[in-house]
């Protein structure tokens, strides 16, 4: 028997998927924002306090980097209300869980980025009379931020994919909606193909945005390079297997 | 007249390593002093203690009578200065690093203009005028819009000197300004420093360039095991070293 692709089923149910897309975007954006705050906090505290006081944060980072995201999400979803006594709605506890995951990765990105700023550049600023706050704003942040952009982009892209795990807990995001359609029409291949393409579009948009930021903040623009050239150059290198950025 | 720099009984250790064990030094206005010593003898540490990039364990540094890193209270006691005071004191001391340490995210002009705007709170036009003058002085006007990583080491060091000059420091400290340069780039930096010396700036220079020291410095000092072992006018110092340690050091250096 010939297998026949039935993409018409997916098109007919597209509104359902698009509803899911909205929820996925909401989940991802909230996770990125909260995760960035957590990551910054953890990175700065770890750089400023003695090792022994930073130990709880080290444990946090290693636990969230070293265990499956699905277990983290399920665990926090069920255990956070028990532990804190708070009744949180599903969206809130899922975002907290994912932000803790994303924050653990971002904290390492931020820490490496801040540490990567050469001590000499900082001392040069101190030597001409910059105050500590001015050193942070004028020397550390511009250099660290620029260098961290590609790595932050990677974490953001994985945050989008991470949000698909929320389907397990009945959050009606893209993956969940896809599974509903599959359950009704028994067409997993077609539905998953379209769902994957939608994830790819969201992930690639994020990457493009980060590339744009990298281009915009690039201080080394010997000649003013237009964005599309930068884009060409990055898309060329992204086919080579090597870590992005200087981290 | 007060000394441009007065160092009293300076001590500095890193852990159990005693690097400076009581340095006393007076530098007069307009004097050019060069510091010699073996690698690891504490030349950088001494310079860093002057502008408090390293905080001395003991002893005080005065720039034109003002204790650096400290405040003189009305009763004449020394009180540790806060960050704001320390920052404004540091702005009176120029520092040129072995590794240039230009800010890679700013152009040549941006590097020189930065402290004028941020520390001296000048407006853009005034700051740019001064910066352009200083960049011209070190011969890099054509390069003012380039980023540091496109320049040679010698050019970068000249930008670093321009950045320091723009702040009109009362004293200039140079920590082996030519050691990181390709041999053929040393001359251009030395040229700029000679001009500064001729203009009467007060300079303290850690260096391994014996010829430069002999030609340019008024006085040379030799540091070994944390103390000043010998000091003399540059002429005397290089042609008639007294202590055995300096004699063998100069011999090794000129080989
Ligand atoms: N921050 C630091 N922590 C620990 N040890 C240090 C530190 N800075 C310097 N030292 C040590 O202090 C000693 C003196 O160092 P310093 O850099 O002042 O020597 P130097 O005379 O400038 O040498 P060089 O000619 O190699 O530049 C060296 O043994 C060095 O290892
Ligand atoms: Mg040194």
């Amino acid at each position: 028997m010939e297998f026949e692709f039935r993409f018409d089923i997916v098109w007919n149910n597209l509104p359902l998927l698009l509803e899911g897309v909205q929820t996925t975007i909401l989940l991802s954006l909230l996770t990125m924002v909260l995760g960035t705050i957590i990551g910054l906090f953890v990175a700065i505290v770890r750089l400023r306090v003695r090792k022994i006081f930073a130990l709880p944060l080290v444990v946090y980072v290693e636990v969230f980097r070293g265990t499956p995201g699905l277990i983290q999400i399920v665990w926090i979803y069920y255990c956070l209300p028990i532990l804190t006594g708070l009744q949180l709605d599903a969206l809130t506890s899922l975002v907290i869980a994912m932000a803790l995951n994303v924050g653990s990765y971002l904290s390492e990105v931020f820490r490496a980025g801040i540490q990567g700023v050469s001590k000499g550049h900082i001392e040069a600023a101190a030597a001409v009379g910059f105050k500590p706050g001015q050193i942070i704003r004028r020397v550390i942040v511009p250099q660290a931020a620029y260098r961290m952009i590609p790595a932050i982009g990677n974490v953001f892209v994985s945050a989008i994919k991470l949000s698909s795990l929320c389907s397990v807990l009945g959050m009606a995001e893209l993956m969940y909606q896809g599974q509903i359609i599959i359950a009704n029409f028994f067409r997993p291949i077609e539905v998953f193909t379209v769902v994957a393409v939608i994830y790819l579009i969201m992930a690639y948009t994020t990457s493009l945005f980060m590339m744009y930021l990298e281009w915009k903040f690039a201080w080394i623009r010997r000649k003013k390079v237009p964005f599309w050239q930068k884009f060409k150059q990055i898309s060329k290198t992204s086919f080579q297997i090597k870590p992005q950025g200087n981290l | 007249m007060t000394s441009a720099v007065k160092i009293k009984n300076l001590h500095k250790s890193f852990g159990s390593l005693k690097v400076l064990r009581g340095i006393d030094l007076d530098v007069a206005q307009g004097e050019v002093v060069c510091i010699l010593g073996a690698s690891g003898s504490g030349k950088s540490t001494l310079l860093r203690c002057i502008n408090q990039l390293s905080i001395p364990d003991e002893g005080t540094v005065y720039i034109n009578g003002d204790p650096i890193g400290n405040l003189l209270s009305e009763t004449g006691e020394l009180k540790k200065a806060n960050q704001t005071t320390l920052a404004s004191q540091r702005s009176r001391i120029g520092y040129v690093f072995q590794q240039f340490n230009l800010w890679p995210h700013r152009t040549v002009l941006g590097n020189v203009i930065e402290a004028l705007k941020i520390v001296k709170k000048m407006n853009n036009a005034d700051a740019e005028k001064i910066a352009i003058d200083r960049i011209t002085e070190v011969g890099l006007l054509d390069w003012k819009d380039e980023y540091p990583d496109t320049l040679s080491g010698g050019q970068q060091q000249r930008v670093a000197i321009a950045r320091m000059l723009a702040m009109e420091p009362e004293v200039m400290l140079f920590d082996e300004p030519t050691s990181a340069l390709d041999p053929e780039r040393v001359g251009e930096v030395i040229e700029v420093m000679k001009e500064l010396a001729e203009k009467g700036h007060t300079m303290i220079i850690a260096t391994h360039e014996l010829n430069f020291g002999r030609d340019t410095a008024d006085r040379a000092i030799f540091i070994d095991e944390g103390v000043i072992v010998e000091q003399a006018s540059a002429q005397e110092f290089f042609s008639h070293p007294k202590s055995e340690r300096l004699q063998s050091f100069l011999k090794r250096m000129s080989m």
Side-chain angles (χ1 to χ4, degrees), chain A residues 48 114 117 121-122 125 129-146 217 219, chain B residues 103 105-106 114 117-119 121:
Chain A
R48 295 197 65 136
I114 295 169
V117 178
H121 299 156
I122 294 168
F130 280 40
K131 290 177 235 170
Q134 293 170 329
I135 295 177
I136 292 172
R137 280 197 305 279
R138 309 288 302 188
V139 178
I140 297 179
V141 169
Q143 288 196 40
Y146 171 69
F217 291 120
W219 61 73
Chain B
W103 299 303
H105 56 301
R106 307 243 183 267
E114 180 83 354
K117 290 201 311 206
I118 302 301
V119 179
K121 309 266 186 266

Side-chain angles (χ1 to χ4, degrees), chain B residues 30-246:
Chain B
E31 193 179 11
V32 177
V33 175
C34 87
I35 304 176
L36 285 97
S39 182
S41 59
K43 302 180 294 295
S44 301
T45 305
L46 173 57
L47 292 177
R48 292 168 60 84
C49 281
I50 293 177
N51 79 346
Q52 310 283 308
L53 284 178
S54 291
I55 308 293
D57 299 331
E58 206 186 315
T60 315
V61 176
Y62 300 85
I63 300 292
N64 287 315
D66 298 327
I68 301 303
N70 291 282
L71 280 175
L72 214 46
S73 72
E74 280 155 28
T75 55
E77 285 166 280
L78 288 183
K79 227 174 64 199
K80 202 170 177 307
N82 60 23
Q83 292 288 347
T84 309
T85 312
L86 177 58
S88 84
Q89 289 176 337
R90 277 183 178 144
S91 73
R92 299 165 51 191
I93 308 170
Y95 201 107
V96 174
F97 297 84
Q98 186 173 348
Q99 301 294 342
F100 336 128
N101 291 339
L102 295 178
W103 299 303
H105 56 301
R106 307 243 183 267
T107 60
V108 167
L109 181 61
N111 266 276
V112 181
I113 222 171
E114 180 83 354
L116 294 172
K117 290 201 311 206
I118 302 301
V119 179
K120 291 206 166 169
K121 309 266 186 266
M122 285 185 180
N123 66 38
N124 237 329
D126 291 350
E128 180 158 341
K129 198 162 161 294
I130 294 177
I132 294 282
D133 282 353
R134 297 293 87 87
I135 293 169
T136 311
E137 199 173 332
V138 297
L140 288 170
L141 189 58
D142 289 346
W143 302 82
K144 72 177 170 55
D145 295 320
E146 301 293 325
Y147 283 87
D149 80 327
T150 61
L151 304 184
S152 73
Q155 291 172 322
Q156 290 191 47
Q157 193 60 296
R158 280 145 67 197
V159 176
I161 292 173
R163 174 172 72 177
M164 172 205 68
L165 286 176
M167 293 298 283
E168 299 184 346
E170 296 160 37
V171 179
M172 300 174 180
L173 311 178
F174 295 81
D175 187 3
E176 299 194 32
T178 57
S179 295
L181 302 180
D182 296 334
E184 70 268 23
R185 291 291 185 174
V186 169
E188 63 192 64
V189 171
I190 292 219
E191 213 49 52
V192 170
M193 291 172 62
K194 278 187 174 164
E195 278 168 34
L196 293 178
E198 276 161 26
K199 283 182 185 153
H201 291 293
T202 309
M203 300 161 75
I204 305 180
I205 307 158
T207 184
H208 289 301
E209 295 287 324
L210 300 189
N211 290 330
F212 168 71
R214 181 170 19 215
D215 299 347
T216 314
D218 299 309
R219 181 156 49 123
I221 67 178
F222 176 58
I223 298 186
D224 194 24
E225 298 191 342
V227 293
I228 297 180
V229 175
E230 185 163 343
Q231 57 176 315
S233 73
Q235 277 299 324
E236 187 73 14
F237 185 93
F238 290 103
S239 37
H240 304 293
K242 292 195 183 64
S243 64
E244 208 171 295
R245 277 191 273 177
L246 177 55

